[in-house]
Amino acid sequence: GAGTKDSTLIEIFASRSSEQIKALCDVYLTETEKKLSLDLKEEVSGDFSKALLLLVEGKRDESTTVDTEQAKKDAKTLYEAGEKKWGTDESKFVDILCQRSIPQLRQTLVEYKDISGKTLQQSIEGEMSGDLEELLVAIVKCVKSVPAYLAERLYESMKGGGTDELTLNRIMVSRSEIDLMDIRAEFKKLYSYSLYSAIESDLSGEHGDCVKALCGGDD
């Protein structure tokens, strides 16, 4: 329909593995008779589009081996593409963050902090804006901890007036048999109260009961 919910695209493609994204693309093709990558090309543009398409097309390395020297080189490349120069070369951030393996990126985050004195997240937030910033920050958060990122998304969905029920439902249902216990633990650590009590105070009736049942009780 009219308009694209970029925050939903960002959440899904930043937090899913290449294997999960491939399965998603296969089902999308079956359900819609269209390729997800082609539909995305019509909806998004620029470096944001390039980053999403790298993730959708499964370009991320799935290796579990960490090359420390490569991590140092990548950290230096990111520093020189952002903090060290006037203007930002966003394409370097896209190439590295959307294609290196998760273990490799964890080491790159460490090396980046050593070089720049800032975290990579701080640099991205200072150098970029809009959807590309949101996507790259989400990737960095997921490199550190997918459950912590999703706990934050759940908190945001219930913060302030009104509840973003689509986001709340999507995360609770899609992660219920994957890492919801870890998300609960991260939620408690981040916000000092339980996910169950947050849902209880935010939702009522049958919907609230269903979501609380997924949560599995207070902690």
Side-chain angles (χ1 to χ4, degrees), residues 11-12 14-17 20 142 145-151 154 167-184 195 214:
E11 176 202 304
I12 290 172
S15 64
R16 273 37 169 195
S17 67
Q20 289 170 328
C142 288
S145 170
V146 170
Y149 169 70
L150 293 175
L154 284 170
T167 296
L168 178 64
N169 292 344
R170 179 176 61 253
I171 294 173
M172 294 297 293
V173 172
S174 68
R175 311 306 290 195
S176 62
E177 296 183 11
I178 300 174
D179 55 3
L180 190 54
M181 293 296 287
D182 295 328
I183 293 169
R184 282 173 52 183
L195 176 58
L214 282 173

Side-chain angles (χ1 to χ4, degrees), residues 191-203:
Y191 305 110
S192 301
Y193 57 92
S194 71
L195 176 58
Y196 185 94
S197 63
I199 294 167
E200 190 170 42
S201 65
D202 220 63
L203 295 178

Side-chain angles (χ1 to χ4, degrees), residues 129-186:
S129 61
D131 290 330
L132 181 63
E133 176 199 346
E134 189 181 338
L135 174 59
L136 296 182
V137 166
I139 290 171
V140 169
K141 288 179 177 179
C142 288
V143 166
K144 292 188 285 187
S145 170
V146 170
Y149 169 70
L150 293 175
E152 186 181 334
R153 287 283 292 162
L154 284 170
Y155 173 77
E156 293 291 334
S157 77
M158 294 181 281
K159 188 177 73 172
T163 303
D164 179 356
E165 293 185 4
L166 289 176
T167 296
L168 178 64
N169 292 344
R170 179 176 61 253
I171 294 173
M172 294 297 293
V173 172
S174 68
R175 311 306 290 195
S176 62
E177 296 183 11
I178 300 174
D179 55 3
L180 190 54
M181 293 296 287
D182 295 328
I183 293 169
R184 282 173 52 183
E186 292 293 341

Side-chain angles (χ1 to χ4, degrees), residues 4-28:
T4 305
K5 191 75 180 292
D6 292 337
S7 62
T8 302
L9 296 176
I10 288 165
E11 176 202 304
I12 290 172
F13 292 117
S15 64
R16 273 37 169 195
S17 67
S18 293
E19 184 181 355
Q20 289 170 328
I21 291 172
K22 183 184 182 305
L24 184 158
C25 289
D26 289 344
V27 175
Y28 189 94

